[in-house]
Amino acid sequence: MKNRIRQYLLAASMCVGLTACNDFFESIPGTQFGLDETFGSKQRTEQYLNNVYNYVREVTDAIHPDKLGGIFTEASLEGANRWNKTYAEWTNGSFNSASDQASEYFSKYYQAIAKASTFIQNVDKCQEATASMRGKWKAEARALRAYYYFELFRLYGPVPLIGEQPISLDASLDELIKERNSVDECVDFIAGELQTAIDSGDLLQKAGKANLGRMDVATCLALKAKLYLYWASPLFNGNTDYASVKNDDGKQLFPQSADNAKWTTAKAAYEKFLTFASGQGYKLTEVYTDGKLDPYASCRAIGEFFTTTWEAADELIFVKLRDAYDYTYWTCPKFTTYDDTGVTGGGGFYPTQEMVDMFFTRDGIPVEIAAAGVPGENDFVGEEVYYDPDNASRLFYNSTTYTEKGANVRSRVLKQWKNREPRFYVNVTYNGSIWLNEGKYDEKMRTDFTNGANGTCGKSKASGDCPDSGYLIRRGAKASNNNGSKHFSPVLRLADMYLGYAEVLCMCGNLDNALVYLNKIRARAGIPEYSFATVAGKVACPKSQSDLLNRIRRERIVELAFEWNRFFDVRRWKVAEGQNDPEHWIYPPYHTGGEGGNVHGMNMDKDYPQFFARTVFENRVAFSKKQYFMPIPYDDIRRIPALVQNYGW
C-alpha cells in the first residue's frame, strides 16, 4: 500500500488528462502538467476537479466493473449479466483477498481521495479563478473525498484515514501508513468533512438541472444522514461477529455493544436534510395523465436514464452523468423477426426470479401471499391483452395469437405477471411483455424468450444473446430512438431518504411517523398504503417495530431496485445469511442461502408450457459471515503487517 499511495500521489500531482471514463465533465485528453502548470490555469484546475469527479461509479454499469462500474447488482440476489462474469468470483466462493475486485475499489477510491487532497492543497494557487470560485471547487473536492471514504467504509468497514496534509513522495512507511481507524473514527471524520464543506458557504444549495452531478449542500446533508444510518445499523453497531478484527495494539475496530443513541443521531441528520430539502423544492416525482396521478409514468420517469424532459430532477439529489455506452443494448431483447433492426439488443442484463417476486401485487401485498409464490408451467393466462389499469392506452402484455409475417404466433404470460404493481412493469421485461421502443415502424414488439419456433428472443433465435433467467432488467431502457446515448444513473434520490428516515423513526420507536414516510413511497407507486388499523382500501400492518421494519425493508428492496442499495442494505441489516428473515420479507419461501444459494428463473431451455417451470439457472455458494465485507487487498496486507484483515479472509 505504501507503493500504491505514492503512485496515487504522483499521478495526482502530475496529471489532469488521465480520466477514468468519458462523461459530461470533459477533460484534457493525453496532456500532462506539473502542479504549478496545472493550478496556474483556470481551465486546467477545473479539469483536474472534473477528474476527481470521474471516480464516482456508474450504478447502471454492470458490464465494466473495472472501469468505474460495479458488481453490486449481480453480486446480490437482484440479478446477473451474460457478458462479464467478474461478479461470479463473489457468488461461486472463489473470491479472495488477491482477487482483482478486492483491489479495484480499494485502489480506485484511494486514488480519488489522494487527488481530492492534492486539489484542496493547491487550488488557491489558481489566481485566474476568483476566490469564490476557488472556494466552491475546494468545497466540492472535500465533499467528494468524504463520499469516496463512505464508499470504502461500506465496502471494507473501517479503513485507514490518510488526511489531507501534504505527503512527501520520499516519506517513510510510518509517515505514509497508519493502522485502520475504528468505525466511530471513520464516521466522525466523514461526517466532519461533509459538515466542513457545508459550513464553508461555498457550495451550491441545490445543483438542479443545470448542475446535476455536482456536489452541493443537499448532497452533503443527504450523505451525512445515510452515513449515520449505516453507523446505527447492526453491521456497524455492536457487531460481535467482528470482535476479532483488531489492530495489533488491541484496538477494537468494530464497537462490541449496540448504542441505540446512534439511531437518534441518524434521525436528527435525516430531519435536517428533509427540512432543507423541503425548502429547496425537492419532491417525489409524480407524473399526471388527464389530471390523475400516473404511477407507472411516475416510476418510469425516475428511471428514465436517457431523458430530455428531466421530470425527475427534483427527486434526484446526486447522480452520475455518463456518455460512454448504450445501456439499452444490455436491457433490450434481441428481437429477431421484426422489421426495425435498430430496435434490438443483446438482452443480457437480467433479474432473478427471487427479485421478480419481491414486487408487490396491484393490491399492495406480497405476491407469495396473493398467489402462494409458485409460478408453474400450467399457471399462465389464456387469450388476453392486458392494459395498464391507470392508463387504457398503455399495453403491458399480449398473450393472444397474432399474425407476424404470415405466421400465427402465441406469446403466453404467467398469471403472476398480471395485476402486479406499476414498479414491476417499470423494472421487469417478462415473456409476452410489450417492448418500450416501437421504433421507426411503430411496431408493438412482443417479447418471447421461449426456446422454440416462436421464441423470437430465446436461445434458439437470439444466438445466445438472451437472459439466463427468462427476464430482463427493463428499468432505464430507452423508450425512443431520439433519447441519444448520454444518460444518468441515480446515486442519491429522495425516495431513498424517505425510506431511510422511515427506518430510523421505526428504530427510535416513532412508528406512526415512520408509517407516514413509508406510505409516501407506496402512494406514488400506486399501491394501497399500510395502516395500523383495519381500514378499507389499505393494507393492515401490525403495530410493532419488527412488523413495520420488515415492511420498510421490503419497500427499499422494491423501490431502489438495481441502484446498488440491496447489496449494502442486506449487509448492514445483517440478514444476508437468510436466517433472520423467517417471514420471508426479503427472501421468498423457496429460496435458501441468503444472498447465495440456488438462483431461479424461467426454463430457458424449453418451449411452452414447460418454459414457465421455475428453474435453477445458477448455483451460488451460501452466504457466509465473511462476505459482509470485502477483504483488504492481499498485496497491501503483505506489505503492511499492521493493516489487519477483515473477518474470515
Side-chain angles (χ1 to χ4, degrees):
M1 188 170 180
K2 172 185 176 182
N3 291 337
R4 281 188 180 177
I5 290 183
R6 284 178 174 165
Q7 292 168 2
Y8 306 160
L9 292 171
L10 182 61
S13 67
M14 294 190 66
C15 173
V16 299
L18 294 178
T19 62
C21 56
N22 174 27
D23 67 11
F24 284 11
F25 300 141
E26 295 180 357
S27 61
I28 305 174
T31 307
Q32 294 185 351
F33 302 93
L35 283 177
D36 290 340
E37 290 178 292
T38 296
F39 292 101
S41 161
K42 178 181 176 181
Q43 180 189 25
R44 288 194 290 270
T45 300
E46 189 167 17
Q47 298 297 344
Y48 190 106
L49 178 59
N50 292 345
N51 187 266
V52 180
Y53 269 103
N54 282 345
Y55 289 85
V56 177
R57 287 186 176 266
E58 166 59 72
V59 303
T60 59
D61 189 348
I63 313 302
H64 306 111
D66 58 335
K67 296 179 181 177
L68 300 180
I71 64 173
F72 307 115
T73 293
E74 312 101 301
S76 76
L77 204 59
E78 280 187 331
N81 81 71
R82 194 167 181 83
W83 300 298
N84 188 331
K85 298 295 185 180
T86 302
Y87 73 91
E89 272 193 299
W90 187 259
T91 58
N92 67 20
S94 64
F95 198 95
N96 58 67
S97 63
S99 296
D100 288 343
Q101 288 302 304
S103 60
E104 167 67 21
Y105 305 108
F106 203 74
S107 63
K108 290 285 176 62
Y109 283 134
Y110 270 115
Q111 285 179 27
I113 287 165
K115 289 186 178 184
S117 296
T118 298
F119 185 88
I120 292 168
Q121 295 159 16
N122 290 279
V123 65
D124 284 325
K125 295 177 181 178
C126 183
Q127 294 303 302
E128 287 187 4
T130 64
S132 62
M133 181 60 71
R134 296 196 304 270
K136 176 177 175 291
W137 289 342
K138 185 185 294 187
E140 288 182 31
R142 189 176 300 279
L144 279 168
R145 185 174 63 184
Y147 168 73
Y148 295 132
Y149 269 121
F150 171 70
E151 293 291 358
L152 284 168
F153 178 71
R154 66 179 187 163
L155 274 169
Y156 298 95
V159 293
L161 300 171
I162 297 175
E164 69 178 62
Q165 294 303 312
I167 302 174
S168 170
L169 293 180
D170 61 356
S172 67
L173 182 65
D174 291 340
E175 291 174 303
L176 275 172
I177 297 302
K178 298 178 181 178
E179 297 172 327
R180 292 176 69 176
N181 290 84
S182 68
V183 164
D184 290 351
E185 288 169 342
C186 288
V187 170
D188 287 345
F189 175 79
I190 297 168
E193 288 294 279
L194 291 168
Q195 194 60 49
T196 297
I198 295 168
D199 292 343
S200 71
D202 295 315
L203 288 174
L204 294 172
Q205 298 292 291
K206 177 184 180 182
K209 292 181 184 179
N211 292 283
L212 272 179
R214 290 284 176 181
M215 281 289 176
D216 56 13
V217 171
T219 301
C220 290
L221 288 171
L223 185 57
K224 188 175 179 181
K226 195 164 184 176
L227 169 70
Y228 284 143
L229 173 68
Y230 276 68
W231 186 46
S233 297
L235 183 62
F236 296 97
N237 190 10
N239 186 355
T240 55
D241 289 337
Y242 280 67
S244 63
V245 184
K246 307 176 183 180
N247 285 341
D248 289 344
D249 62 1
K251 178 179 179 178
Q252 200 83 56
L253 298 184
F254 289 83
Q256 291 302 289
S257 57
D259 182 0
N260 287 331
K262 292 179 179 178
W263 289 109
T264 304
T265 301
K267 175 176 172 290
Y270 271 94
E271 288 170 349
K272 191 168 185 177
F273 165 77
L274 291 171
T275 299
F276 175 86
S278 177
Q280 292 294 321
Y282 283 94
K283 58 185 178 182
L284 293 179
T285 300
E286 294 181 346
V287 177
Y288 289 80
T289 301
D290 297 329
K292 292 177 57 179
L293 177 68
D294 189 330
Y296 173 91
S298 300
C299 296
R300 167 70 186 164
I302 303 161
E304 183 63 80
F305 301 149
F306 303 86
T307 183
T308 56
T309 60
W310 294 104
E311 289 176 298
D314 288 330
E315 180 166 344
L316 300 172
I317 301 167
F318 186 52
V319 303
K320 175 70 173 179
L321 297 168
R322 288 286 299 274
D323 182 16
Y325 58 86
D326 192 347
Y327 170 81
T328 293
Y329 178 80
W330 304 349
T331 55
C332 180
K334 187 173 183 178
F335 297 107
T336 57
T337 58
Y338 288 95
D339 292 332
D340 189 355
T341 57
V343 184
T344 190
F349 190 24
Y350 47 92
T352 64
Q353 183 72 52
E354 283 84 346
M355 184 62 216
V356 169
D357 288 342
M358 285 291 100
F359 291 94
F360 297 97
T361 68
R362 184 168 177 80
D363 294 329
I365 60 176
V367 68
E368 64 267 21
I369 295 175
V374 183
E377 58 189 70
N378 297 313
D379 189 26
F380 53 84
V381 301
E383 304 271 338
E384 187 172 353
V385 177
Y386 183 54
Y387 288 87
D388 183 354
D390 297 310
N391 187 330
S393 66
R394 185 178 293 129
L395 180 61
F396 279 155
Y397 70 67
N398 188 343
S399 66
T400 62
T401 300
Y402 57 94
T403 301
E404 180 181 296
K405 294 187 175 181
N408 289 332
V409 179
R410 178 82 177 271
S411 182
R412 295 177 181 174
V413 179
L414 265 187
K415 289 180 182 178
Q416 270 200 16
W417 301 334
K418 182 181 179 181
N419 290 322
R420 295 296 288 271
E421 61 156 306
R423 289 176 297 191
F424 171 79
Y425 300 105
V426 168
N427 281 278
V428 179
T429 297
Y430 50 91
N431 203 73
S433 58
I434 304 302
W435 185 240
L436 293 161
N437 189 346
E438 296 179 2
K440 61 184 177 181
Y441 299 117
D442 295 326
E443 293 179 283
K444 297 287 186 185
M445 298 188 180
R446 298 163 182 83
T447 305
D448 194 320
F449 290 125
T450 58
N451 191 26
N454 295 326
T456 59
C457 310
K459 279 188 175 182
S460 61
K461 292 289 185 68
S463 302
D465 283 340
C466 58
D468 292 329
S469 68
Y471 299 93
L472 283 174
I473 293 173
R474 175 176 288 229
R475 185 164 181 226
K478 289 191 291 186
S480 167
N481 293 339
N482 299 323
N483 290 138
S485 60
K486 291 186 177 181
H487 79 289
F488 74 87
S489 67
V491 179
L492 282 169
R493 62 183 176 95
L494 191 60
D496 182 353
M497 302 309 293
Y498 278 179
L499 290 168
Y501 186 45
E503 185 175 338
V504 298
L505 285 169
C506 180
M507 295 305 294
C508 289
N510 189 342
L511 305 189
D512 291 322
N513 208 20
L515 190 68
V516 169
Y517 278 85
L518 173 58
N519 280 336
K520 287 178 184 288
I521 304 302
R522 289 175 69 86
R524 192 266 297 281
I527 55 177
E529 299 177 2
Y530 286 118
S531 173
F532 291 138
T534 301
V535 178
K538 295 191 175 184
V539 178
C541 170
K543 193 172 184 179
S544 74
Q545 186 181 70
S546 61
D547 284 302
L548 182 56
L549 187 61
N550 281 333
R551 287 156 178 79
I552 292 169
R553 289 175 171 179
R554 178 71 163 259
E555 205 72 38
R556 280 190 70 87
I557 288 171
V558 171
E559 174 66 26
L560 304 176
F562 316 124
E563 294 180 35
W564 290 4
N565 278 280
R566 181 189 176 117
F567 181 93
F568 297 103
D569 280 339
V570 295
R571 284 164 170 75
R572 67 177 179 83
W573 296 331
K574 285 196 73 179
V575 299
E577 295 161 81
Q579 299 170 352
N580 295 323
D581 183 39
E583 296 182 30
H584 304 292
W585 285 94
I586 297 170
Y587 301 102
Y590 57 82
H591 180 82
T592 59
E595 288 298 290
N598 289 337
V599 183
H600 300 80
M602 298 290 95
N603 191 340
M604 288 292 289
D605 292 323
K606 299 294 183 179
D607 200 350
Y608 299 121
Q610 291 85 3
F611 170 82
F612 291 120
R614 190 175 61 223
T615 303
V616 174
F617 72 84
E618 187 175 311
N619 303 103
R620 300 183 176 185
V621 296
F623 189 93
S624 64
K625 289 187 186 300
K626 73 176 185 178
Q627 290 181 297
Y628 279 105
F629 290 107
M630 280 196 172
I632 303 296
Y634 169 77
D635 284 346
D636 298 317
I637 293 291
R638 181 176 57 82
R639 291 172 184 142
I640 309 164
L643 193 62
V644 299
Q645 184 56 278
N646 275 330
Y647 170 88
W649 297 103

